[in-house]
Amino acid sequence: MKLTSKGRYAVTAMLDLAFHSEAGPVTLAHISRRQDISLSYLEQLFTRLRKHRLVCSTRGPGGGYSLARAADEIAVSEVVAAVDEVVDTTRCSGASNCHDGQQCLTHELWDELSHQIFEFLNDISLKDLMDERSIQVVAARQDDTARNRGTHEVRLPTGKSDAEPV
């Protein structure tokens, strides 16, 4: 299957954006910090996402990215396709020349699997993912972790602990 990290990172970044854009535009630096995806890689992904009108950008102070449409109107398959990912499980990339220049014995099986995966991703919106309790728990944990990065615990003489910026 040819779904690489590019597609997975794009979906992850878009889901992060969906969770956080209600408060206004979200910077790529914040997504980078929460999702541990390099800023330069996110810039490349968001150029493609913007070109496919899945996100819009706001310049200046308080700027960043927002979803171009409601989260329930953006299918996971759109995000994957926007970053030039192809869900293809065939050996020949769908060209039907997988065995001595002709279709192999199992081509139809793998081609149908590719179609089923696409339909599966097409039936899931960012909002569907946001509504999943297990995903909400992970998002909250990532928010807490990102908030706490750059701090370390200091023991006070009273025995209590206090977080102090590094």
Side-chain angles (χ1 to χ4, degrees):
M1 188 166 122
K2 296 175 183 164
L3 184 60
T4 65
S5 59
K6 183 173 26 172
R8 288 191 299 273
Y9 284 157
V11 172
T12 299
M14 286 290 286
L15 186 56
D16 184 283
L17 180 63
F19 270 117
H20 295 94
S21 63
E22 292 173 4
V26 178
T27 66
L28 294 183
H30 284 116
I31 296 172
S32 173
R33 192 172 312 124
R34 282 188 296 267
Q35 301 307 324
D36 198 24
I37 303 171
S38 84
L39 185 57
S40 62
Y41 198 65
L42 282 173
E43 288 168 348
Q44 293 171 32
L45 293 175
F46 273 74
T47 297
R48 293 177 182 192
L49 295 168
R50 191 175 65 236
K51 185 189 298 186
H52 284 85
R53 296 187 174 130
L54 294 177
V55 298
C56 50
S57 61
T58 304
R59 293 183 179 270
Y65 285 90
S66 305
L67 296 178
R69 302 189 311 258
D72 64 347
E73 297 175 8
I74 300 175
V76 171
S77 63
E78 288 182 86
V79 177
V80 171
V83 296
D84 298 327
E85 283 289 280
V86 177
V87 178
D88 181 12
T89 56
T90 64
R91 192 169 69 181
C92 61
S93 301
S96 295
N97 62 356
C98 24
H99 184 76
D100 294 330
Q102 296 183 24
Q103 184 171 310
C104 70
L105 190 61
T106 55
H107 178 85
E108 292 299 322
L109 172 70
W110 304 126
D111 191 50
E112 179 60 24
L113 177 59
S114 298
H115 179 73
Q116 292 293 325
I117 292 170
F118 175 82
E119 287 302 319
F120 173 77
L121 297 176
N122 200 44
D123 287 342
I124 300 172
S125 71
L126 292 178
K127 178 72 168 126
D128 293 334
L129 296 175
M130 293 172 71
D131 290 343
E132 289 285 332
R133 181 69 186 132
S134 61
I135 293 174
Q136 293 170 3
V137 168
V138 172
R141 177 182 43 100
Q142 290 175 335
D143 287 346
D144 289 343
T145 300
R147 256 192 304 277
N148 292 328
R149 280 195 182 141
T151 64
H152 67 278
E153 194 172 274
V154 175
R155 290 276 165 203
L156 300 175
T158 61
K160 295 180 182 178
S161 66
D162 194 4
E164 194 174 87
V166 175

